[in-house]
Amino acid sequence: MIDIHCHLLPGLDDGPRTMDEAMAMARMAVADGIREVVCTPHWHPMLCPNEGAEIAVAVAVLRERLQVGSIPLQVWGGSELSLDMDLEPGLKEGRLATLNDGPWVLLELPVLFLPRDTERTLTSLLAQGLRVILAHPERYAYVRSDPSRLQGWVEMGLFVQITAASLLGSLGPELVSLCRVLLEHHLVHFVATDAHGASSRRPLLSAARDAAAGIVGPQTAARLVEDNPRAVLAGAPLCLESWAPVPLPHKKRPWFVFW
Ligand SMILES: [Fe+2]
């Protein structure tokens, strides 16, 4: 399996604090069947100003340590980018990390409120030729209250990554049901760990792949953790055969909204 969303680089964000913890995470990932990881530290201009050059150095250091420790895990550079005014200029100028330096970007939207100009930003990123993956939208309040919003974005050309823990119930039963609905409606393209440590939010993917297989079948589940991530690493488009979104009903607004 290939994990496209993992906070594995030590000391850059709220992921592992030390190289030892990163090594423990790497061993855990390998034991779970993960062979490649895209390291995606947070980027936010104020809170986590991790730009591409710094991430590339950290990946090179980690790669060397994995080799010394004989841990058979390949690691690649990337970033989990926040929606911010500096996002578009940062990507245009090549300051911010894309996934394995290709056209794919991992974008995190605010959890509680959708900023007014989000759709303009998304359209603009797509117009730049970038392929945008939304990081764990099942956690966003405005997707939870109206999952059909996600369908519109997928039809626009965005891709969706759900987090293994959401599908497995660690974040509550509501997210399990939502992940199931999103999978059944072909609105998921990747399952990833979004791992942050060796003791909690761990880099484990096999149980989520098996849970996905129970919903969409083993072949499709393999696409979500192997084939699609491999296309990302290659900078290639996804094969979306038999995976067009299945219409979701728009959530009816409560009557008082009209008053
Ligand atoms: Fe993350």
Side-chain angles (χ1 to χ4, degrees):
M1 294 178 287
I2 303 170
D3 187 10
I4 63 153
H5 182 172
C6 184
H7 301 259
L8 186 58
L9 298 174
L12 289 190
D13 61 1
D14 55 347
R17 288 190 185 174
T18 63
M19 184 57 86
D20 282 350
E21 188 178 5
M23 289 291 112
M25 288 174 72
R27 278 187 218 99
M28 202 174 279
V30 169
D32 193 56
I34 296 171
R35 293 289 170 266
E36 301 182 53
V37 165
V38 187
C39 302
T40 51
H42 289 286
W43 169 81
H44 183 280
M46 307 294 282
L47 306 173
C48 284
N50 297 309
E51 297 198 341
E54 191 185 354
I55 292 167
V57 171
V59 169
V61 171
L62 177 65
R63 199 173 276 152
E64 206 179 299
R65 290 293 298 265
L66 290 168
Q67 211 168 7
V68 170
S70 303
I71 301 173
L73 184 71
Q74 282 189 286
V75 289
W76 312 102
S79 188
E80 180 178 14
L81 305 172
S82 299
L83 194 66
D84 181 87
M85 274 165 50
D86 196 33
L87 174 68
E88 286 186 74
L91 283 167
K92 270 191 192 142
E93 294 159 17
R95 281 188 284 113
L96 303 185
T98 58
L99 304 183
N100 199 23
D101 290 329
W104 289 91
V105 296
L106 182 65
L107 178 68
E108 181 178 35
L109 300 182
V111 171
L112 293 178
F113 300 104
L114 191 63
R116 197 185 276 177
D117 63 343
T118 301
E119 299 228 346
R120 186 208 58 78
T121 306
L122 295 174
T123 306
S124 170
L125 294 175
L126 296 177
Q128 282 180 49
L130 293 167
R131 300 196 181 104
V132 180
I133 303 170
L134 291 179
H136 43 64
E138 76 278 7
R139 285 167 44 187
Y140 306 162
Y142 40 89
V143 171
R144 286 159 61 180
S145 62
D146 183 6
S148 68
R149 189 190 290 272
L150 204 53
Q151 185 178 333
W153 286 340
V154 169
E155 283 165 356
M156 240 173 92
L158 299 179
F159 299 90
V160 169
Q161 172 257 309
I162 61 169
T163 295
S166 305
L167 184 57
L168 293 175
S170 313
L171 305 172
E174 185 201 340
L175 290 200
V176 179
S177 311
L178 178 55
C179 286
R180 171 178 277 275
V181 167
L182 297 181
L183 281 164
E184 287 169 345
H185 288 78
H186 300 185
L187 294 171
V188 177
H189 304 91
F190 305 93
V191 180
T193 68
D194 192 11
H196 281 69
S199 48
S200 70
R201 302 179 79 182
R202 295 176 298 163
L204 303 174
L205 204 45
S206 63
R209 175 204 53 203
D210 296 346
I215 301 167
V216 292
Q219 258 186 323
T220 300
R223 279 163 78 171
L224 305 175
V225 295
E226 290 175 38
D227 305 353
N228 292 350
R230 188 165 290 115
V232 168
L233 287 178
L238 300 191
C239 170
L240 292 172
E241 207 185 307
S242 327
W243 202 243
V246 176
L248 259 170
H250 278 277
K251 194 120 176 183
K252 285 196 182 108
R253 288 187 292 176
W255 63 270
F256 52 81
V257 169
F258 297 103
W259 294 86

